Amino acid sequence: MKVMDILLGSDPAVRRQTQLYLLGEENPYSDDGWVGEFLSCYNTETHTWGNGIYGPKWISTFYTMRDLQSLEIMWNPEEFVEDDVCVVAMFVSLLTYGQHPSQVIDEMIQYLLKWQMPDGGWNCSAVYGTSRKSSIHTTLSVLEAYADYEKHGYRNLLPAIKEQIPAGQAYLLRRNLMHRESTNEIILPYIVQFHFPTRWKYDVLRALVYFASIKHPYEPALEEGLELLKKKFEKGYLTKGPTHSGRLHFKMEKNRFGAMNTLRGLMVLKEYDQGFYEDLLHREIQVPHA
Protein backbone atom coordinates (compact mmCIF):
# COMPACT_ATOMS: atom_id res chain seq x y z
CA MET A 1 0.00 0.00 0.00
CA LYS A 2 1.20 3.52 -0.72
CA VAL A 3 1.22 6.42 1.70
CA MET A 4 -1.27 8.47 -0.34
CA ASP A 5 -3.78 5.59 -0.26
CA ILE A 6 -3.48 5.43 3.52
CA LEU A 7 -3.99 9.17 3.95
CA LEU A 8 -6.98 9.22 1.59
CA GLY A 9 -8.48 6.32 3.53
CA SER A 10 -7.90 7.98 6.89
CA ASP A 11 -10.11 10.32 8.95
CA PRO A 12 -12.19 12.77 6.84
CA ALA A 13 -10.15 15.73 8.13
CA VAL A 14 -6.90 14.07 7.06
CA ARG A 15 -8.42 13.09 3.71
CA ARG A 16 -9.63 16.64 3.01
CA GLN A 17 -6.24 18.23 3.79
CA THR A 18 -4.42 15.57 1.77
CA GLN A 19 -6.59 16.34 -1.23
CA LEU A 20 -6.17 20.10 -0.75
CA TYR A 21 -2.46 20.40 0.08
CA LEU A 22 -0.92 17.43 -1.69
CA LEU A 23 -3.25 16.90 -4.66
CA GLY A 24 -4.52 20.45 -5.16
CA GLU A 25 -8.16 19.32 -5.05
CA GLU A 26 -10.97 21.10 -3.22
CA ASN A 27 -13.11 18.91 -0.98
CA PRO A 28 -16.12 19.77 1.22
CA TYR A 29 -15.78 20.11 4.97
CA SER A 30 -17.10 17.22 7.03
CA ASP A 31 -18.34 16.89 10.61
CA ASP A 32 -17.66 13.15 10.60
CA GLY A 33 -14.77 11.36 12.29
CA TRP A 34 -12.54 13.22 14.73
CA VAL A 35 -14.35 16.52 14.20
CA GLY A 36 -17.66 14.92 15.09
CA GLU A 37 -16.17 13.36 18.22
CA PHE A 38 -14.86 16.74 19.37
CA LEU A 39 -18.22 18.36 18.71
CA SER A 40 -19.99 15.64 20.70
CA CYS A 41 -17.85 16.60 23.74
CA TYR A 42 -19.16 20.19 23.74
CA ASN A 43 -21.20 21.05 26.85
CA THR A 44 -24.29 22.91 25.64
CA GLU A 45 -25.16 24.04 29.18
CA THR A 46 -21.83 25.71 30.00
CA HIS A 47 -20.99 26.45 26.34
CA THR A 48 -17.49 25.08 26.87
CA TRP A 49 -15.36 22.03 26.33
CA GLY A 50 -13.98 20.50 29.50
CA ASN A 51 -15.98 23.03 31.59
CA GLY A 52 -13.16 25.55 31.29
CA ILE A 53 -11.61 28.14 28.98
CA TYR A 54 -7.84 27.51 29.23
CA GLY A 55 -7.80 24.55 31.63
CA PRO A 56 -7.88 21.66 32.16
CA LYS A 57 -5.30 20.73 29.54
CA TRP A 58 -5.98 19.39 26.92
CA ILE A 59 -9.77 19.22 27.05
CA SER A 60 -10.50 22.91 27.74
CA THR A 61 -12.28 25.12 25.23
CA PHE A 62 -9.05 26.78 24.11
CA TYR A 63 -7.12 23.61 23.38
CA THR A 64 -10.12 21.88 21.84
CA MET A 65 -10.46 24.82 19.48
CA ARG A 66 -6.75 24.50 18.68
CA ASP A 67 -7.30 20.84 17.79
CA LEU A 68 -10.30 21.74 15.64
CA GLN A 69 -8.28 24.42 13.87
CA SER A 70 -5.56 21.88 13.07
CA LEU A 71 -8.26 19.67 11.55
CA GLU A 72 -9.53 22.72 9.62
CA ILE A 73 -13.11 22.61 10.78
CA MET A 74 -15.45 25.29 9.41
CA TRP A 75 -16.40 27.38 12.45
CA ASN A 76 -16.43 30.80 14.12
CA PRO A 77 -14.58 31.16 17.45
CA GLU A 78 -15.62 33.38 20.33
CA GLU A 79 -13.72 36.35 21.77
CA PHE A 80 -11.17 35.83 24.53
CA VAL A 81 -8.73 38.08 26.39
CA GLU A 82 -5.46 36.85 27.88
CA ASP A 83 -2.29 38.53 29.16
CA ASP A 84 0.34 36.07 27.92
CA VAL A 85 2.31 36.53 24.69
CA CYS A 86 2.18 32.85 23.70
CA VAL A 87 -1.53 32.50 24.46
CA VAL A 88 -2.41 35.79 22.74
CA ALA A 89 -0.52 34.60 19.65
CA MET A 90 -2.49 31.35 19.61
CA PHE A 91 -5.73 33.32 20.04
CA VAL A 92 -4.81 35.43 17.02
CA SER A 93 -4.43 32.26 14.97
CA LEU A 94 -7.82 31.01 16.18
CA LEU A 95 -9.66 34.28 15.62
CA THR A 96 -8.20 34.98 12.19
CA TYR A 97 -9.08 31.44 11.16
CA GLY A 98 -12.66 32.11 12.25
CA GLN A 99 -12.72 35.47 10.42
CA HIS A 100 -13.44 37.42 13.60
CA PRO A 101 -13.86 41.21 13.19
CA SER A 102 -10.51 42.94 13.02
CA GLN A 103 -10.82 45.29 16.01
CA VAL A 104 -10.12 42.70 18.70
CA ILE A 105 -7.52 40.93 16.56
CA ASP A 106 -5.69 44.20 15.88
CA GLU A 107 -5.58 44.91 19.62
CA MET A 108 -3.95 41.53 20.12
CA ILE A 109 -1.48 42.18 17.30
CA GLN A 110 -0.55 45.53 18.88
CA TYR A 111 0.17 43.62 22.08
CA LEU A 112 2.45 41.15 20.27
CA LEU A 113 4.25 43.92 18.41
CA LYS A 114 5.10 45.49 21.75
CA TRP A 115 6.92 42.43 23.12
CA GLN A 116 9.48 41.49 20.50
CA MET A 117 12.81 41.11 22.30
CA PRO A 118 16.27 42.35 21.28
CA ASP A 119 17.33 38.89 20.07
CA GLY A 120 14.45 38.90 17.57
CA GLY A 121 12.07 36.47 19.23
CA TRP A 122 9.38 36.54 21.90
CA ASN A 123 8.97 35.08 25.39
CA CYS A 124 5.74 34.87 27.39
CA SER A 125 7.58 35.58 30.64
CA ALA A 126 8.94 38.89 29.29
CA VAL A 127 5.58 40.45 30.21
CA TYR A 128 6.43 39.88 33.86
CA GLY A 129 10.04 41.02 33.52
CA THR A 130 11.47 37.59 34.31
CA SER A 131 13.31 36.88 31.06
CA ARG A 132 15.70 38.71 28.76
CA LYS A 133 15.91 35.91 26.20
CA SER A 134 13.33 34.66 23.77
CA SER A 135 11.64 31.26 23.78
CA ILE A 136 11.43 28.96 20.75
CA HIS A 137 7.86 28.06 21.78
CA THR A 138 6.58 31.63 21.99
CA THR A 139 8.55 32.83 18.97
CA LEU A 140 7.04 30.18 16.69
CA SER A 141 3.54 30.86 18.04
CA VAL A 142 3.90 34.57 17.23
CA LEU A 143 5.30 33.88 13.76
CA GLU A 144 2.38 31.52 13.09
CA ALA A 145 -0.04 34.22 14.29
CA TYR A 146 1.52 36.80 11.99
CA ALA A 147 1.31 34.35 9.07
CA ASP A 148 -2.35 33.62 9.84
CA TYR A 149 -3.12 37.35 10.08
CA GLU A 150 -1.91 37.80 6.50
CA LYS A 151 -3.25 34.48 5.19
CA HIS A 152 -6.80 35.23 6.30
CA GLY A 153 -6.91 38.67 4.75
CA TYR A 154 -6.19 41.07 7.63
CA ARG A 155 -4.22 44.12 6.49
CA ASN A 156 -4.38 46.96 9.05
CA LEU A 157 -1.16 46.11 10.87
CA LEU A 158 0.55 44.11 8.14
CA PRO A 159 3.36 46.66 7.54
CA ALA A 160 4.33 46.57 11.23
CA ILE A 161 4.16 42.78 11.27
CA LYS A 162 6.38 42.49 8.22
CA GLU A 163 9.02 44.61 9.93
CA GLN A 164 9.25 42.10 12.79
CA ILE A 165 9.01 38.81 10.91
CA PRO A 166 12.60 38.58 9.55
CA ALA A 167 14.17 38.96 13.00
CA GLY A 168 11.79 36.38 14.45
CA GLN A 169 12.59 33.92 11.67
CA ALA A 170 16.31 34.58 12.09
CA TYR A 171 16.01 33.72 15.79
CA LEU A 172 14.96 30.17 14.82
CA LEU A 173 17.20 29.84 11.76
CA ARG A 174 20.35 30.81 13.68
CA ARG A 175 19.72 27.67 15.70
CA ASN A 176 19.14 25.47 12.63
CA LEU A 177 15.67 25.08 14.21
CA MET A 178 17.02 22.94 17.06
CA HIS A 179 20.36 23.98 18.62
CA ARG A 180 21.40 26.28 21.42
CA GLU A 181 23.57 29.09 20.10
CA SER A 182 25.85 28.96 23.14
CA THR A 183 26.70 25.23 23.20
CA ASN A 184 25.24 23.85 19.93
CA GLU A 185 23.39 21.22 21.99
CA ILE A 186 19.79 20.26 21.16
CA ILE A 187 17.67 22.88 22.92
CA LEU A 188 15.28 20.34 24.46
CA PRO A 189 15.30 16.57 23.81
CA TYR A 190 11.64 16.35 22.80
CA ILE A 191 11.82 18.97 20.02
CA VAL A 192 13.44 16.45 17.64
CA GLN A 193 10.39 14.22 18.10
CA PHE A 194 7.28 15.03 16.09
CA HIS A 195 4.01 15.59 17.94
CA PHE A 196 0.39 15.93 16.94
CA PRO A 197 -1.40 17.80 18.36
CA THR A 198 1.51 20.17 19.02
CA ARG A 199 -0.30 22.05 21.84
CA TRP A 200 1.77 25.17 22.68
CA LYS A 201 5.08 23.37 22.39
CA TYR A 202 7.74 23.72 19.74
CA ASP A 203 9.19 20.89 17.72
CA VAL A 204 11.22 20.79 14.51
CA LEU A 205 8.36 19.52 12.33
CA ARG A 206 6.10 22.33 13.53
CA ALA A 207 8.83 24.84 12.61
CA LEU A 208 9.31 23.26 9.18
CA VAL A 209 5.55 23.34 8.56
CA TYR A 210 5.57 27.06 9.35
CA PHE A 211 8.38 27.85 6.90
CA ALA A 212 6.88 25.63 4.18
CA SER A 213 3.40 27.13 4.64
CA ILE A 214 4.67 30.66 3.95
CA LYS A 215 6.85 29.34 1.09
CA HIS A 216 10.01 30.62 2.72
CA PRO A 217 12.86 30.06 0.25
CA TYR A 218 15.17 27.16 0.97
CA GLU A 219 18.31 28.12 2.87
CA PRO A 220 21.06 26.04 4.49
CA ALA A 221 19.71 26.71 8.00
CA LEU A 222 16.71 24.49 7.12
CA GLU A 223 18.83 21.57 5.94
CA GLU A 224 19.40 19.85 9.28
CA GLY A 225 15.69 19.91 10.04
CA LEU A 226 14.87 18.57 6.57
CA GLU A 227 17.42 15.77 6.96
CA LEU A 228 15.87 14.85 10.31
CA LEU A 229 12.44 14.76 8.67
CA LYS A 230 13.65 12.55 5.82
CA LYS A 231 15.35 10.18 8.27
CA LYS A 232 12.08 9.78 10.16
CA PHE A 233 10.38 8.84 6.86
CA GLU A 234 12.62 5.75 6.72
CA LYS A 235 9.61 3.39 6.66
CA GLY A 236 7.67 5.57 4.24
CA TYR A 237 5.55 7.32 6.85
CA LEU A 238 5.84 9.22 10.14
CA THR A 239 4.66 7.74 13.39
CA LYS A 240 2.08 9.51 15.53
CA GLY A 241 4.91 10.38 17.90
CA PRO A 242 4.79 10.92 21.65
CA THR A 243 1.96 12.86 23.26
CA HIS A 244 2.16 15.73 25.72
CA SER A 245 0.72 14.64 29.07
CA GLY A 246 -2.77 15.85 29.93
CA ARG A 247 -6.42 14.86 29.69
CA LEU A 248 -7.91 14.01 26.29
CA HIS A 249 -11.44 13.92 24.91
CA PHE A 250 -10.42 10.84 22.91
CA LYS A 251 -7.39 9.45 21.07
CA MET A 252 -7.41 10.58 17.46
CA GLU A 253 -4.78 8.09 16.31
CA LYS A 254 -4.66 4.64 17.84
CA ASN A 255 -1.82 2.88 16.01
CA ARG A 256 1.77 3.85 15.22
CA PHE A 257 0.98 5.33 11.81
CA GLY A 258 0.66 9.10 12.29
CA ALA A 259 -1.73 10.30 9.61
CA MET A 260 -1.49 13.98 10.55
CA ASN A 261 2.29 13.90 11.08
CA THR A 262 2.74 12.09 7.76
CA LEU A 263 0.53 14.62 5.98
CA ARG A 264 2.39 17.55 7.54
CA GLY A 265 5.76 16.02 6.71
CA LEU A 266 4.75 15.46 3.09
CA MET A 267 3.60 19.09 2.82
CA VAL A 268 7.09 20.19 3.92
CA LEU A 269 8.87 17.83 1.50
CA LYS A 270 6.63 18.87 -1.37
CA GLU A 271 7.88 22.42 -0.83
CA TYR A 272 11.58 21.72 -0.21
CA ASP A 273 12.53 18.34 -1.74
CA GLN A 274 10.29 17.39 -4.64
CA GLY A 275 12.38 14.35 -5.56
CA PHE A 276 12.19 12.80 -2.09
CA TYR A 277 8.48 13.64 -1.95
CA GLU A 278 7.78 11.87 -5.26
CA ASP A 279 9.80 8.86 -4.13
CA LEU A 280 7.69 8.55 -0.99
CA LEU A 281 4.46 8.67 -2.98
CA HIS A 282 5.56 5.72 -5.12
CA ARG A 283 6.99 3.62 -2.30
CA GLU A 284 5.08 0.54 -1.10
CA ILE A 285 4.78 0.56 2.69
CA GLN A 286 3.44 -1.79 5.33
CA VAL A 287 0.84 -0.20 7.57
CA PRO A 288 1.63 -0.66 11.26
CA HIS A 289 -1.23 -1.87 13.46
CA ALA A 290 0.25 -1.26 16.90
Side-chain angles (χ1 to χ4, degrees):
M1 184 175 289
K2 294 179 175 154
V3 66
M4 191 68 76
D5 298 322
I6 301 172
L7 293 176
L8 291 173
S10 187
D11 183 85
V14 177
R15 181 170 64 247
R16 178 185 170 277
Q17 292 185 59
T18 299
Q19 291 175 305
L20 179 62
Y21 297 121
L22 301 184
L23 301 177
E25 302 171 355
E26 293 288 343
N27 197 40
Y29 290 90
S30 171
D31 288 344
D32 296 330
W34 297 338
V35 169
E37 290 198 57
F38 277 118
L39 295 178
S40 70
C41 297
Y42 183 73
N43 188 322
T44 56
E45 294 184 1
T46 62
H47 300 289
T48 64
W49 278 275
N51 294 323
I53 299 300
Y54 191 66
K57 296 182 177 66
W58 307 103
I59 62 170
S60 65
T61 301
F62 177 79
Y63 281 104
T64 302
M65 290 167 70
R66 288 275 291 174
D67 287 341
L68 288 170
Q69 181 189 5
S70 69
L71 299 178
E72 295 199 350
I73 186 178
M74 183 180 289
W75 62 314
N76 289 308
E78 302 172 13
E79 177 180 333
F80 295 91
V81 178
E82 178 65 42
D83 188 28
D84 179 297
V85 175
C86 189
V87 177
V88 169
M90 291 188 288
F91 274 139
V92 168
S93 289
L94 287 170
L95 296 177
T96 55
Y97 181 78
Q99 296 290 295
H100 196 281
S102 62
Q103 180 180 355
V104 170
I105 294 174
D106 285 348
E107 290 177 3
M108 291 180 169
I109 291 291
Q110 290 280 16
Y111 179 84
L112 297 177
L113 291 168
K114 175 183 176 182
W115 289 109
Q116 188 172 33
M117 303 188 75
D119 60 8
W122 288 262
N123 191 319
C124 59
S125 64
V127 178
Y128 311 104
T130 58
S131 179
R132 296 181 181 179
K133 295 183 179 180
S134 296
S135 154
I136 53 173
H137 310 285
T138 306
T139 298
L140 183 53
S141 290
V142 173
L143 289 173
E144 289 170 337
Y146 284 178
D148 287 334
Y149 185 87
E150 180 174 10
K151 173 183 176 181
H152 295 296
Y154 295 87
R155 295 289 180 267
N156 293 342
L157 296 174
L158 200 53
I161 283 174
K162 286 185 175 293
E163 286 184 10
Q164 290 194 343
I165 287 174
Q169 293 173 339
Y171 173 82
L172 299 179
L173 293 170
R174 287 197 304 271
R175 292 156 174 77
N176 283 12
L177 307 184
M178 66 183 82
H179 293 286
R180 297 184 187 277
E181 281 194 282
S182 56
T183 64
N184 204 39
E185 296 174 342
I186 298 296
I187 298 171
L188 292 164
Y190 70 77
I191 70 170
V192 295
Q193 300 171 320
F194 299 161
H195 308 76
F196 182 82
T198 59
R199 312 305 183 186
W200 55 266
K201 297 188 177 184
Y202 179 99
D203 67 37
V204 173
L205 178 56
R206 181 181 166 193
L208 287 170
V209 168
Y210 161 73
F211 283 105
S213 70
I214 62 169
K215 298 191 176 300
H216 185 85
Y218 169 84
E219 57 180 279
L222 295 172
E223 184 62 25
E224 188 173 1
L226 291 170
E227 287 301 314
L228 175 66
L229 174 61
K230 288 187 279 189
K231 182 178 180 180
K232 287 182 180 289
F233 263 110
E234 180 181 6
K235 295 183 178 180
Y237 61 88
L238 296 181
T239 66
K240 65 180 180 180
T243 57
H244 297 300
S245 61
R247 297 172 62 186
L248 300 174
H249 292 295
F250 62 95
K251 289 184 177 180
M252 283 189 274
E253 298 183 298
K254 298 180 175 62
N255 59 38
R256 293 188 69 251
F257 182 88
M260 284 299 296
N261 274 346
T262 300
L263 168 61
R264 295 161 69 228
L266 288 173
M267 290 163 58
V268 171
L269 292 171
K270 185 179 181 183
E271 182 65 27
Y272 290 120
D273 195 328
Q274 188 73 30
F276 195 90
Y277 169 76
E278 293 291 344
D279 175 69
L280 284 173
L281 295 190
H282 291 93
R283 191 184 304 181
E284 291 286 341
I285 65 174
Q286 186 166 354
V287 186
H289 296 293

